[in-house]
Amino acid sequence: QEGITQFGDGFCLLVLELTRRVCRRDPTQKSRFVRVLFQMLSSNSAAVSYEAAWTLVSLSTAPTAVRAAAVTYSNLLNGQNDNNVQL
């Protein structure tokens, strides 16, 4: 997991926000960011994983992307110990 994730959660969240903005303005750029988004799905930070999954689903309707995001969401639900979250 080298690359973007080594710079910390704040930087990753900033990259995700910029990715969404760039892709809203120019949808042809989506393919440039998919690999980075898949890397961020397995981040140690729940916030980064959640935002990466949300960004991936919002940018792609490919079955592989949707499946990866769904797995990430389920892992987050299983891994978080919050009394306010119920399955």
Side-chain angles (χ1 to χ4, degrees):
Q1 275 221 15
E2 297 176 14
I4 289 178
T5 56
Q6 73 183 353
F7 294 108
D9 299 347
F11 185 75
C12 289
L13 293 171
L14 178 64
V15 168
L16 288 166
E17 177 63 27
L18 290 174
T19 299
R20 288 189 291 268
R21 287 183 185 188
V22 167
C23 292
R24 261 188 237 123
R25 288 186 183 171
D26 185 7
T28 62
Q29 299 295 322
K30 290 179 184 179
S31 61
R32 297 179 120 185
F33 297 102
V34 171
R35 190 181 83 210
V36 173
L37 292 173
F38 272 99
Q39 286 178 348
M40 288 186 187
L41 289 176
S42 59
S43 172
N44 292 332
S45 166
V48 172
S49 294
Y50 176 83
E51 290 290 328
W54 178 69
T55 303
L56 189 60
V57 168
S58 68
L59 296 180
S60 176
T61 57
T64 306
V66 173
R67 189 175 305 117
V71 167
T72 300
Y73 287 140
S74 67
N75 288 341
L76 287 170
L77 284 171
N78 287 330
Q80 299 302 312
N81 295 324
D82 187 349
N83 293 334
N84 296 322
V85 177
Q86 298 178 2
L87 292 176

